[in-house]
């Protein structure tokens, strides 16, 4: 079925609308200021959503949700329909590491690659040292588009190998040069950016978070209702916003009777959204300290996160690396191996609660442990064990 997307809508003033094309990747041209670049999202003809949209058989790929997504002009890779796993204490984990490139970013990049194809872009450009770059490279390859990835020299070895496997042009330049170069690639070479090109706040691609809405759809269908709360690892807030918007749409369409509280979990070494919420500001910039949660250690927040938390009566919390490692170990002990940043949602729940929610509680896990900086760096020497030593090792209390 065709997309029911109608326009790009200003998040700063939802009454202000812009045409659906071209995607406004540099933020709202009418309301952005020198201090804050405000992002946009996508509006739909909600009165035309098919009655059976949420009762159709589950399937991999975002095509099932096409009416509530921007046009899916690029082929997919079977993204979505990831499992909802129940932990021993009843908390549910939405395991996004099961996507094609092992992270939640595949939902975003199916949509943004489609936008690049539909708008006639000559290629895709992205700035990322992790999941986003790997996913963008995969979906660009799938769509037959060249991809340029600006990445950090500190990127995990597995991620760097991932990028090159898809044929992406991988560039490592000083961080201050990244966004100016991205803007020139967009303006002079006709590429489309699928990450933020603005300096005063994170805007990203206006279509991207629409892919994340489908996480909310799947959670609600698996539970048979909206959860009471959802805890989300948060960097720039695109995932947070997409999940919140998805649940708002479900309630608007009468599929669920409520919208969960959505909680952001940020590394204590940064916490830009936490600072913005504390000060009642639209965005905030903070110094970033040492942390191994490299995927979400953002010095500047995005306005989308503030919108999501205000709309769902949620909150932003910070968690330490130790708290994330404890959550990561808890997940691994139950068979789920995730990147450290991915454990932030569960870490936030364990550290801050609440524990008395009236209904299911879901923590989103965003990516695989293969993406961690320490993965595959430790060498393990061969062991020469006698049987009595092995037996003692396996039978110790």
């Amino acid at each position: 079925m065709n997309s029911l997307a109608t326009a790009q809508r200003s998040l700063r003033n939802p009454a202000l609308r812009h045409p659906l094309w071209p995607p406004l990747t540099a933020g709202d041209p009418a309301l952005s200021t020198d201090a804050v670049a405000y992002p946009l999202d996508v509006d739909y003809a909600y009165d035309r959503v098919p009655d059976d949209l949420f009762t159709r058989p589950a399937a991999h790929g975002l095509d099932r949700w096409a009416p509530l997504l921007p046009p899916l002009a690029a082929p997919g890779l079977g993204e979505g329909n990831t499992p909802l796993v129940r932990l021993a204490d009843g908390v549910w984990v939405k395991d996004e590491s099961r996507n094609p490139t092992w992270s939640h970013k595949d939902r975003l990049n199916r949509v943004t690659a489609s936008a690049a194809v539909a708008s006639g872009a000559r290629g895709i450009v992205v700035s990322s040292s992790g999941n986003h770059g790997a996913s963008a490279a995969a979906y660009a390859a799938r769509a037959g588009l060249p991809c340029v990835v600006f990445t950090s020299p500190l990127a995990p070895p597995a991620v760097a190998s991932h990028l090159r496997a898809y044929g992406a042009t991988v560039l490592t330049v000083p961080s201050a040069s990244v966004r100016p170069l991205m803007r020139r690639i967009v303006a002079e070479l006709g590429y489309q950016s699928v990450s933020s090109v603005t300096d005063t706040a994170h805007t990203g691609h206006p279509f991207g978070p629409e892919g994340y809405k489908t996480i909310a759809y799947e959670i609600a269908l698996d539970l048979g209702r909206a959860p009471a709360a959802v805890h989300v690892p948060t960097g720039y807030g695109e995932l947070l916003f997409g999940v919140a918007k998805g649940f708002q749409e479900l309630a608007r369409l009468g599929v669920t009777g409520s919208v969960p509280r959505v909680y952001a979990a940020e590394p204590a070494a940064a916490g830009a959204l936490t600072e913005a919420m504390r000060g009642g500001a639209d965005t905030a910039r903070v110094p970033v300290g040492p942390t191994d949660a490299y995927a979400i250690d953002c010095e500047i927040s995005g306005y989308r996160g503030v919108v999501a938390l205000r709309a769902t009566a949620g909150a932003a919390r910070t968690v330490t690396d130790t708290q994330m490692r404890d959550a990561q170990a808890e997940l691994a002990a139950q068979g789920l191996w995730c990147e450290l940043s991915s454990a932030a949602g569960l870490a936030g729940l364990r550290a801050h609660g609440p524990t008395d929610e009236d209904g299911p509680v879901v923590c989103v896990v965003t990516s695989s442990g293969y993406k961690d900086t320490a993965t595959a760096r430790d060498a393990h020497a061969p062991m020469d064990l006698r049987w009595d030593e092995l037996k003692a090792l396996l039978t110790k209390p």
Side-chain angles (χ1 to χ4, degrees):
M1 178 167 289
N2 293 332
S3 169
L4 297 176
T6 58
Q8 295 176 86
R9 181 179 58 181
S10 171
L11 281 185
R12 187 72 177 90
N13 177 6
L16 179 60
R17 295 159 62 89
H18 303 275
L20 187 63
W21 304 102
L24 299 175
T25 58
D28 186 346
L31 297 182
S32 293
T33 67
D34 291 340
V36 180
Y38 289 102
L40 301 105
D41 78 335
V42 180
D43 200 7
Y44 299 85
Y46 289 104
D47 58 334
R48 294 170 51 202
V49 174
D51 293 337
D52 68 341
L53 181 61
F54 293 93
T55 59
R56 297 172 184 173
H60 285 286
L62 297 192
D63 302 83
R64 173 185 180 178
W65 310 114
L68 286 174
L69 294 173
L72 296 175
L77 290 166
E79 61 287 330
N81 198 25
T82 56
L84 191 65
V85 181
R86 194 171 189 266
L87 300 184
D89 66 346
V91 171
W92 294 90
V93 171
K94 182 64 167 170
D95 185 7
E96 287 292 287
S97 75
R98 313 293 184 93
N99 278 298
T101 73
W102 313 324
S103 89
H104 64 304
K105 291 291 184 180
D106 291 343
R107 297 182 190 259
L108 177 149
N109 280 296
R110 172 71 193 285
V111 175
T112 55
S114 292
V117 169
S119 57
R122 295 179 59 189
I124 285 171
V125 60
V126 59
S127 171
S128 168
S129 295
N131 295 313
H132 193 11
S135 178
Y139 281 83
R142 178 73 170 151
L145 292 174
C147 183
V148 175
V149 182
F150 287 93
T151 191
S152 164
L154 302 178
V159 172
S161 298
H162 211 167
L163 292 171
R164 289 180 170 86
Y166 296 126
T169 299
V170 182
L171 303 173
T172 304
V173 302
S175 58
S177 301
V178 172
R179 288 198 179 106
L181 287 172
M182 288 178 65
R183 289 192 285 263
R184 291 196 69 171
I185 289 171
V186 169
E188 298 181 29
L189 301 181
Y191 280 50
Q192 191 164 121
S193 171
V194 299
S195 63
S196 197
V197 294
T198 54
D199 298 320
T200 57
H202 182 276
T203 53
H205 195 293
F207 291 12
E210 301 300 302
Y212 292 145
K213 297 187 310 186
T214 60
I215 293 174
Y217 302 164
E218 293 172 14
I219 290 172
L221 292 187
D222 282 347
L223 293 176
R225 56 162 290 177
V230 183
H231 296 259
V232 182
T234 300
Y236 291 122
E238 290 181 302
L239 174 61
L240 188 79
F241 174 81
V243 169
K245 183 176 178 181
F247 282 115
Q248 290 174 289
E249 288 180 333
L250 290 169
R252 174 177 182 164
L253 294 168
V255 180
T256 63
S258 62
V259 174
R261 292 180 184 268
V262 176
Y263 294 95
E266 301 180 286
L273 178 57
T274 301
E275 181 61 27
M277 295 299 292
R278 182 185 296 119
D282 290 344
T283 64
R285 187 182 294 271
V286 297
V288 176
T291 176
D292 288 332
Y294 75 96
I296 53 174
D297 63 343
C298 303
E299 84 169 326
I300 191 165
S301 62
Y303 184 59
R304 286 188 183 92
V306 169
V307 171
L309 297 183
R310 289 174 180 168
T312 64
R317 285 87 169 269
T318 59
V319 289
T320 65
D321 278 26
T322 297
Q323 290 168 330
M324 285 185 277
R325 287 194 184 95
D326 289 344
Q328 186 184 40
E330 178 184 344
L331 290 164
Q334 298 200 44
L336 300 171
W337 184 42
C338 72
E339 178 188 351
L340 183 67
S341 300
S342 294
L346 180 61
L349 171 64
R350 299 302 189 216
H352 301 286
T355 58
D356 58 349
E357 296 282 8
D358 183 19
V361 174
V362 176
C363 296
V364 179
V365 163
T366 50
S367 69
S368 164
Y370 283 110
K371 307 292 186 69
D372 253 337
T373 54
T375 297
R377 287 185 175 173
D378 293 334
H380 300 277
M383 301 175 69
D384 183 15
L385 286 178
R386 300 189 310 271
W387 169 248
D388 58 334
E389 293 173 325
L390 177 58
K391 183 178 179 180
L393 176 66
L394 298 180
T395 57
K396 66 180 180 182

